Amino acid sequence: MKCIFTFCFLFSVLLLNAQPATPPASTDAAARTQGYGERLNLQNNSLVDAITFKSIGPSIMSGRVVDVDVNPVDPTIFYVAYASGGLWKTESGGTSFTPKFDHEAVMTIGDVAVNWKNNIIWVGTGENNASRSSYAGAGMYKSTDDGKTWTHLGLDETQHIGRIALHPTNPDVVWVAALGKLYSPNKERGVFKTADGGKTWKQTLFVNDKAGGVDIMVDSDNPNIVYAATWEKDRRAWSFTESGEGSGIYKSVDGGETWSLVSTTESGFPHGKKAGRIGLDMTHYQGKPVLFAVIDNNFPKDKKKEKDKTDEAELTKEKLKTMSKEDFLKLDKKSLAGFLKKNGFPEKYNSDEIVTMAKEGKITPKTLYDYLDEGDSGFGATEIKGPEVYRSDDEGKTWKKTHQQTLDNIFFTYGYYFAQIRVTPGDPNQLYIMGLRIIKSDDGGKTWKALDSDNMHGDHHALWIDPNRKGHLLNGNDGGLNMTYDDGKSWSKLNSAPLGQYYFINADMAEPYNVYGGLQDNGAWMGPHDADTGNGWQASGQYPYKSIMGGDGMQVMVDTRDNATVYTGFQFGNYFRENTKSPARPKQITPKHQLGEKPLRFNWQTPIWLSTHNQDVLYFGANKLYRSLNKGDDWEAISEDLTKGAVKGNVPYGTLSAIHESPLKFGLLYTGSDDGLIHVSKDGGVSWTLISDGLPQNLWVSRVIASGHDKATVFAALNGYRWDDFNAYLYKSTNYGQTWERIGTDLPAEPVNVVKEDPKNPNILYVGTDNGLYVSLNKGKSFMTFGKDLPNVAVHDVMVHPRENDLIVGTHGRSLYVANVEQLQKMDSATLKKEFVLFDVKKTRFSAPGRRDRDQYTEAKEKTVLIPVYAKTAGNAKVTVRAGKDLVVGEFTQPVKAGLNYIPYNMTYSDESRTAYQTWLNDAAKDDKETKKIELTKGENGEKSYLHKGKYRIFVEKDGVKEEKDWILE
């Protein structure tokens, strides 16, 4: 036993000193372009594109806006670019929007620029923020027909576009500030210029392989003068250095052909290793250009000359590191109790207990320090100067800071996500900067005031200032789009499009059932699966979705015994149990480590799992796996560290990223980690086996899923996104992970976020990638795209509702979609071998087809029943509808494609059959004494005659194969 303990201790020491993983190769643009072609091929050959997906919202919380571009002549017309939701246009001042960029290679956007005079739209793909969910783009796109068609114009390897600048008079001249790859160095970053409308590009500014172009602006009075901001950063899964020597402001006097650095230390602008992201803007005043820049200044704050005596007396974590036992025992118990509470120690470690343990030598003061020490202070604990605004009146030769006070609570240490500045055209005294808050200065940047309102989300990224109407602003933030006409005194919300960025979804078993999910920036929500996405809720005051948790929304588990007990939370393991039908406050249930242990490491999206065998049992993934037998009230660690260990950095890493329990056996558990390890336990956590040695190493385990059809089968999805590796890694094992087989080898080069097995058909797998949804009908041997009309958006989660057979899709940019897959589930190997199959036709509720909803001013609606068929080959299908044994009431021919088809039938009968059909209806109803004689009439559209309630028989024939099914119109 001692030997085992020693081995475990030494192993844990090695883990705590783990080195950063060796990166896989990043994927080049050629492979990604080829992947797009493969995606189109899988779409063209799909057997299931007849299945339609319905968007069910939500829209009210929207998603991250990165830019707006407004028609200077008519500001009711503008485009809005979303980080992962595509490009949208309004021609109604924001009351409605139309998507314009849904089916290109990517739909993630860094910037949009519109030449309104020449009707040219430029889209730079790949978000310009460096967030953990900022997706890579595929270069530049251009449209000259209002987004109906797009031309791809290169710069594929830039991956993230910071800003686009258009020449004020020459539509062929465009400058692009390109950030480059997010997680790896590359040379395709800096500033690029085209002089032929995007046919060719010239890289005119390159600083180094980590510094990219983040902002660019052209002097409208003299387009030979161009300013660009570069930003050096180094993002890894475990750390983020958001500043460097390569950050700076450059000026060109020859139209962006050559550049000189103007943000030198001598010029008065911060420069060096701690110079972070920079945003630019300019205006003309009294005939001269006035330049403004906001910088995320990572240099440390100036130390206070005099220390506060209160601060000196306060007990801090750092003091405990070197404090003696004697000094510790002299501490005031009230001060100690306050320290313990402030730092989240479990209640059992109260001041009396801690003092007793110290007296008995069970702990030392450093034990408390170690309990809190995460190895690196991270972003939030760093005392930096933060956002600073600078002005230049001599075209960048010299810069002066506009303010004396520090601009606290704007960036904190998250300037990499912000650093945008805007100046009112013609008025250099009116400035706006954006961060966690949006603030304004009316005195040239000396003093500032907040413009936020309770109708706005925080985290601001875009701002348009109307040059013709004072106080008219459009603001883009993490919660969508806001508009004001009174300079921020009041704001309206323009969120009618469903653009939520979901990470995880779930559903309950209520009737009708509800869908739950966690969203980036916007917490966790629940709502009905058949939600109406219209604006009727504004009249009723009842929005169909309900917020159930704030923060960045993460995973959600629902106890289906009451459909009310919910487990959910926000980033880095902050989870709660709540009752959605009760006003009681949620109870935090996050597991805590013990004294003598280092803090637990929690993934950004910490995995949880509610046992399907006993819903009192909840699993929770830190770097260890925890289990609660009483709904999260108490926790037990049922594993040692299941990762490679902590890596020095400022982002939690070496964490569990996926957990799952077999639906066929209680205690058959799988875990996956962000550093590439997969473990299995067959005995409820008593023992664990590493099973990922045969898989590609050092990739993020995005999913590990135990089969619901075979106890020994397990699926794993690995994700290389954080290495800029975009290959699709999907694996299956049929022996508990002892050996693995790669599946989905025809999937395009797109990182895989989720794999799920169909609960009823073991041959069917659903896969969500960074660019869409795929389905396999043969256990992963081959895939096809799923959802012909779905945008090419990242799919983070899918689930099939076990009762309703609905596939629910959680997208990271376009909220939720639902499709019924009942016929898909019946496409087993036997069905696929047949030439032609007619599936059951669902009962249809009679609702007087052809009737007007209200009066003569509304259009008469026609109801359609869909007849589901499978055809092995394309051709024509003849449909015959009979009443009784021989009476033909409807007959028509419909073309069908190879695969699944839904033949529409509008439930009309022919005029030739009217007399016989009326007789049949009255004969069928003669036993019902309360039924009056039926007199057939045409529908309210006056053109067609529709069937009445009754039992009918549908016959479908194709290529000599004839199938028939009963159909009830009730």
Side-chain angles (χ1 to χ4, degrees):
M1 191 69 183
K2 182 177 180 181
C3 178
I4 295 175
F5 174 81
T6 303
F7 171 78
C8 291
F9 173 77
L10 290 174
F11 185 59
S12 66
V13 170
L14 289 171
L15 290 178
L16 288 172
N17 291 280
Q19 297 299 309
T22 302
S26 61
T27 307
D28 62 25
R32 297 183 69 208
T33 300
Q34 180 181 340
Y36 178 49
E38 291 168 352
R39 186 199 315 164
L40 295 177
N41 185 53
L42 294 180
Q43 179 176 307
N44 293 334
N45 295 322
S46 178
L47 299 178
V48 294
D49 61 7
I51 296 177
T52 58
F53 284 79
K54 176 189 175 184
S55 171
I56 60 168
S59 61
I60 196 168
M61 74 291 291
S62 194
R64 189 160 63 251
V65 172
V66 294
D67 194 26
V68 292
D69 201 301
V70 183
N71 188 324
V73 177
D74 183 357
T76 65
I77 302 173
F78 55 88
Y79 293 89
V80 187
Y82 289 83
S84 60
L87 180 70
W88 294 71
K89 183 183 182 183
T90 180
E91 296 181 351
S92 59
T95 59
S96 64
F97 290 87
T98 303
K100 295 289 183 178
F101 196 71
D102 278 8
H103 300 291
E104 304 311 309
V106 297
M107 58 184 291
T108 60
I109 299 179
D111 195 38
V112 58
V114 183
N115 183 323
W116 292 94
K117 184 178 180 180
N118 296 282
N119 298 314
I120 302 172
I121 312 169
W122 295 86
V123 167
T125 60
E127 187 182 356
N128 58 28
N129 297 308
S131 173
R132 54 180 49 82
S133 59
S134 295
Y135 290 101
M140 293 293 297
Y141 287 79
K142 176 182 176 181
S143 175
T144 57
D145 57 6
D146 193 30
K148 294 182 179 67
T149 60
W150 293 90
T151 302
H152 180 231
L153 295 175
L155 298 188
D156 310 44
E157 292 284 17
T158 61
Q159 291 202 8
H160 296 268
I161 300 297
R163 190 76 69 204
I164 305 166
L166 307 182
H167 193 284
T169 58
N170 187 342
D172 286 333
V173 177
V174 177
W175 298 268
V176 172
L179 280 161
K181 295 183 177 181
L182 179 55
Y183 283 96
S184 55
N186 71 320
K187 294 181 179 179
E188 294 80 10
R189 57 177 83 213
V191 173
F192 295 81
K193 179 184 177 181
T194 181
D196 54 13
K199 295 176 183 176
T200 60
W201 296 90
K202 178 182 179 182
Q203 186 178 26
T204 62
L205 176 61
F206 173 75
V207 179
N208 64 54
D209 61 6
K210 292 183 180 179
V214 68
D215 210 344
I216 193 164
M217 61 180 181
V218 180
D219 189 330
S220 58
D221 288 356
N222 182 0
N224 282 322
I225 298 178
V226 189
Y227 299 90
T230 59
W231 172 31
E232 180 172 332
K233 56 181 171 53
D234 185 16
R235 177 140 213 166
R236 295 287 184 263
W238 56 87
S239 69
F240 189 9
T241 302
E242 51 179 316
S243 61
E245 296 277 0
S247 298
I249 302 173
Y250 288 80
K251 178 182 178 181
S252 173
V253 296
D254 55 8
E257 295 293 331
T258 60
W259 300 86
S260 59
L261 179 69
V262 295
S263 62
T264 61
T265 305
E266 294 74 20
S267 73
F269 200 88
H271 186 72
K273 289 185 177 180
K274 295 297 182 180
R277 180 171 174 171
I278 300 168
L280 302 174
D281 203 6
M282 69 182 300
T283 189
H284 289 85
Y285 182 66
Q286 296 180 346
K288 294 183 178 180
V290 182
L291 278 60
F292 290 93
V294 60
I295 181 172
D296 174 29
N297 191 335
N298 281 255
F299 285 94
K301 283 184 177 180
D302 297 329
K303 294 183 179 180
K304 295 179 181 179
K305 293 181 179 179
E306 294 183 7
K307 288 186 177 181
D308 190 319
K309 292 183 179 179
T310 304
D311 291 342
E312 286 185 349
E314 183 182 0
L315 179 60
T316 65
K317 168 187 163 184
E318 291 303 319
K319 290 178 181 179
L320 289 168
K321 189 174 183 180
T322 56
M323 185 179 288
S324 67
K325 176 180 178 180
E326 291 72 21
D327 288 342
F328 181 78
L329 295 175
K330 293 177 184 177
L331 289 174
D332 176 63
K333 280 192 176 182
K334 186 176 180 181
S335 173
L336 178 59
F339 173 84
L340 297 171
K341 183 177 181 180
K342 178 182 178 181
N343 287 279
F345 280 76
E347 291 182 4
K348 66 180 181 178
Y349 296 131
N350 56 53
S351 57
D352 288 333
E353 178 65 19
I354 291 294
V355 169
T356 299
M357 294 173 74
K359 286 180 178 178
E360 295 176 353
K362 295 180 179 179
I363 64 169
T364 66
K366 190 173 181 299
T367 306
L368 302 183
Y369 171 87
D370 288 339
Y371 184 86
L372 300 173
D373 180 38
E374 297 180 85
D376 193 292
S377 56
F379 291 138
T382 307
E383 286 292 317
I384 64 172
K385 291 183 177 181
E388 292 182 333
V389 177
Y390 288 80
R391 171 175 173 160
S392 175
D393 292 288
D394 54 10
E395 299 186 42
K397 293 178 183 177
T398 60
W399 298 86
K400 291 183 180 179
K401 192 166 72 167
T402 66
H403 49 98
Q404 293 298 317
Q405 89 268 30
T406 58
L407 301 179
D408 295 326
N409 304 320
I410 302 301
F411 289 0
F412 290 99
T413 52
Y414 304 101
Y416 68 89
Y417 198 53
F418 304 116
Q420 301 275 357
I421 187 169
R422 298 291 180 267
V423 55
T424 299
D427 187 353
N429 284 318
Q430 286 195 342
L431 306 175
Y432 304 82
I433 64 171
M434 288 164 282
L436 295 170
R437 309 190 70 181
I438 178 171
I439 59 176
K440 180 191 178 187
S441 173
D442 288 311
D443 54 13
K446 294 178 183 177
T447 60
W448 299 84
K449 63 179 180 180
L451 292 188
D452 315 69
S453 80
D454 56 5
N455 196 32
M456 299 177 76
H457 196 286
D459 300 347
H460 303 269
H461 305 283
L463 185 71
W464 171 80
I465 304 170
D466 193 332
N468 302 312
R469 176 168 178 164
K470 187 177 180 180
H472 180 203
L473 311 172
L474 282 170
N475 169 245
N477 52 64
D478 277 357
L481 190 67
N482 289 86
M483 181 168 64
T484 179
Y485 281 97
D486 53 18
D487 204 23
K489 293 185 179 71
S490 61
W491 294 86
S492 58
K493 189 182 287 287
L494 306 181
N495 290 352
S496 59
L499 293 153
Q501 296 175 299
Y502 275 86
Y503 280 120
F504 187 91
I505 59 171
N506 212 329
D508 61 24
M509 293 296 287
E511 294 191 35
Y513 70 88
N514 297 293
V515 181
Y516 303 73
L519 299 93
Q520 170 66 33
D521 303 313
N522 286 286
W525 293 68
M526 62 174 286
H529 77 280
D530 54 355
D532 185 352
T533 57
N535 293 324
W537 68 272
Q538 294 180 356
S540 68
Q542 300 294 320
Y543 191 70
Y545 285 83
K546 171 186 174 184
S547 174
I548 57 175
M549 183 59 61
D552 290 280
M554 296 300 158
Q555 300 195 2
V556 185
M557 289 291 153
V558 188
D559 190 330
T560 56
R561 296 174 298 187
D562 61 9
N563 297 313
T565 302
V566 172
Y567 304 87
T568 189
F570 51 90
Q571 60 266 46
F572 297 131
N574 291 283
Y575 276 80
F576 300 78
R577 184 184 70 231
E578 64 176 298
N579 189 304
T580 58
K581 298 177 183 178
S582 168
R585 294 183 62 182
K587 177 183 177 181
Q588 186 162 19
I589 58 168
T590 305
K592 301 286 186 181
H593 58 297
Q594 303 299 314
L595 276 179
E597 297 179 333
K598 285 282 189 179
L600 297 172
R601 300 186 300 277
F602 295 104
N603 196 275
W604 171 257
Q605 188 190 162
T606 299
I608 58 174
W609 185 258
L610 190 63
S611 176
T612 57
H613 305 281
N614 180 347
Q615 293 184 79
D616 286 343
V617 177
L618 181 67
Y619 299 97
F620 201 114
N623 50 302
K624 304 175 181 180
L625 184 65
Y626 282 80
R627 180 180 61 203
S628 172
L629 302 177
N630 54 7
K631 303 181 180 181
D633 285 338
D634 301 290
W635 293 97
E636 172 193 11
I638 58 171
S639 77
E640 295 298 326
D641 196 323
L642 294 174
T643 76
K644 295 181 181 178
V647 175
K648 185 174 177 58
N650 52 14
V651 178
Y653 187 70
T655 68
L656 293 184
S657 53
I659 55 177
H660 195 233
E661 181 184 50
S662 168
L664 301 178
K665 180 185 176 183
F666 178 72
L668 174 54
L669 302 167
Y670 292 91
T671 68
S673 68
D674 56 12
D675 52 13
L677 299 186
I678 300 178
H679 287 84
V680 62
S681 175
K682 300 177 184 177
D683 51 17
V686 175
S687 60
W688 291 88
T689 303
L690 178 67
I691 57 174
S692 52
D693 284 347
L695 296 172
Q697 297 299 292
N698 303 321
L699 297 171
W700 194 286
V701 181
S702 54
R703 280 296 196 284
V704 55
I705 298 292
S707 170
H709 299 284
D710 177 70
K711 195 161 51 176
T713 296
V714 58
F715 301 90
L718 310 180
N719 190 304
Y721 159 79
R722 291 158 189 84
W723 299 108
D724 293 320
D725 176 0
F726 300 102
N727 289 298
Y729 296 103
L730 191 63
Y731 294 85
K732 179 180 76 171
S733 172
T734 55
N735 54 13
Y736 301 98
Q738 291 181 48
T739 58
W740 295 91
E741 171 195 1
R742 188 166 186 177
I743 59 175
T745 54
D746 59 344
L747 287 169
E750 299 169 6
V752 178
N753 299 312
V754 60
V755 56
K756 290 284 183 71
E757 191 183 46
D758 188 271
K760 294 186 176 178
N761 185 335
N763 293 325
I764 295 178
L765 293 178
Y766 306 98
V767 165
T769 74
D770 280 358
N771 295 102
L773 179 66
Y774 299 86
V775 63
S776 171
L777 303 181
N778 53 15
K779 298 184 178 181
K781 293 178 183 176
S782 62
F783 278 85
M784 60 192 80
T785 59
F786 195 16
K788 179 179 64 175
D789 299 321
L790 285 179
N792 291 336
V793 65
V795 173
H796 269 246
D797 202 8
V798 296
M799 74 165 293
V800 178
H801 194 275
R803 183 186 67 223
E804 304 297 337
N805 306 314
D806 286 341
L807 178 68
I808 311 164
V809 182
T811 75
H812 199 82
R814 295 296 278 273
S815 293
L816 300 170
Y817 289 85
V818 171
N820 187 267
V821 293
E822 184 174 338
Q823 283 77 39
L824 175 66
Q825 291 174 321
K826 295 175 181 177
M827 292 176 68
D828 54 20
S829 55
T831 298
L832 294 173
K833 291 177 182 177
K834 295 181 179 180
E835 292 297 324
F836 186 73
V837 176
L838 170 63
F839 297 107
D840 291 337
V841 183
K842 285 187 175 181
K843 289 182 181 179
T844 306
R845 185 172 295 279
F846 178 81
S847 59
R851 175 179 292 176
R852 302 181 191 278
D853 279 348
R854 296 180 61 183
D855 49 35
Q856 70 269 29
Y857 305 109
T858 57
E859 185 178 352
K861 293 184 178 180
E862 187 171 79
K863 194 170 182 178
T864 300
V865 61
L866 297 177
I867 303 170
V869 300
Y870 166 75
K872 195 169 186 178
T873 58
N876 290 318
K878 180 182 178 182
V879 179
T880 304
V881 182
R882 298 177 185 267
K885 185 176 181 181
D886 299 313
L887 178 60
V888 176
V889 292
E891 195 167 55
F892 61 95
T893 300
Q894 173 75 22
V896 294
K897 300 192 306 181
L900 186 62
N901 295 262
Y902 292 92
I903 299 174
Y905 171 45
N906 61 5
M907 296 183 284
T908 60
Y909 62 86
S910 63
D911 288 338
E912 294 79 8
S913 65
R914 176 183 296 273
T915 301
Y917 178 50
Q918 180 169 299
T919 301
W920 179 81
L921 285 171
N922 283 296
D923 286 344
K926 64 184 179 182
D927 293 333
D928 188 346
K929 296 179 180 180
E930 295 183 3
T931 300
K932 296 180 181 180
K933 185 178 179 180
I934 297 172
E935 296 289 344
L936 294 178
T937 60
K938 290 185 180 292
E940 290 186 12
N941 55 17
E943 299 175 358
K944 299 177 182 179
S945 302
Y946 296 92
L947 298 179
H948 279 239
K949 294 180 182 179
K951 184 177 180 180
Y952 301 88
R953 191 79 174 162
I954 292 178
F955 299 79
V956 185
E957 184 177 2
K958 178 184 177 294
D959 296 333
V961 180
K962 193 171 186 179
E963 298 264 301
E964 58 182 277
K965 294 285 184 181
D966 285 335
W967 169 55
I968 297 175
L969 180 59
E970 59 181 8

